[in-house]
């Protein structure tokens, strides 16, 4: 089982850890163990860095694209809620005007 909380690392710390992986010639697991970071977390940081530099797997989103997708999904959800409210209001006023 995993931890009850997620530890947050600063962008600078992640950047330094990624640079250490690239410059040391050691495996991600070795560097992660040395830094006290989860190997999977460090592996994800390295993978995301590669995607941001255009070296990721085909179809993999960059951080900017991922943020835009989050923003658009939030905007879509808000617009769907607005539409539902307007539908209910329209039904209410149609019902009231028929009296």
């Amino acid at each position: 089982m995993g931890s009850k909380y997620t530890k947050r690392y600063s962008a600078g710390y992640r950047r330094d850890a990624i640079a250490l992986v690239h410059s040391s010639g050691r495996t991600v697991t070795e560097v992660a163990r040395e830094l006290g970071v989860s190997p999977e977390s460090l592996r994800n940081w390295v993978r995301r860095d590669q995607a941001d530099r255009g070296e990721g797997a085909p179809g993999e989103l960059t951080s900017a694209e991922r943020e835009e997708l989050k923003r658009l999904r939030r905007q879509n959800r808000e617009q769907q809620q607005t539409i539902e409210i307007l539908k209910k209001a329209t039904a209410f006023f149609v019902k009231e005007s028929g009296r």
Side-chain angles (χ1 to χ4, degrees), residues 18-32:
I18 292 166
L20 186 58
V21 169
H22 292 303
S23 67
S24 70
R26 293 180 293 166
T27 66
V28 170
T29 304
E30 291 170 341
V31 173

Side-chain angles (χ1 to χ4, degrees), residues 28-39 42:
V28 170
T29 304
E30 291 170 341
V31 173
R33 193 174 299 129
E34 178 185 317
L35 296 176
V37 176
S38 159
L42 183 53

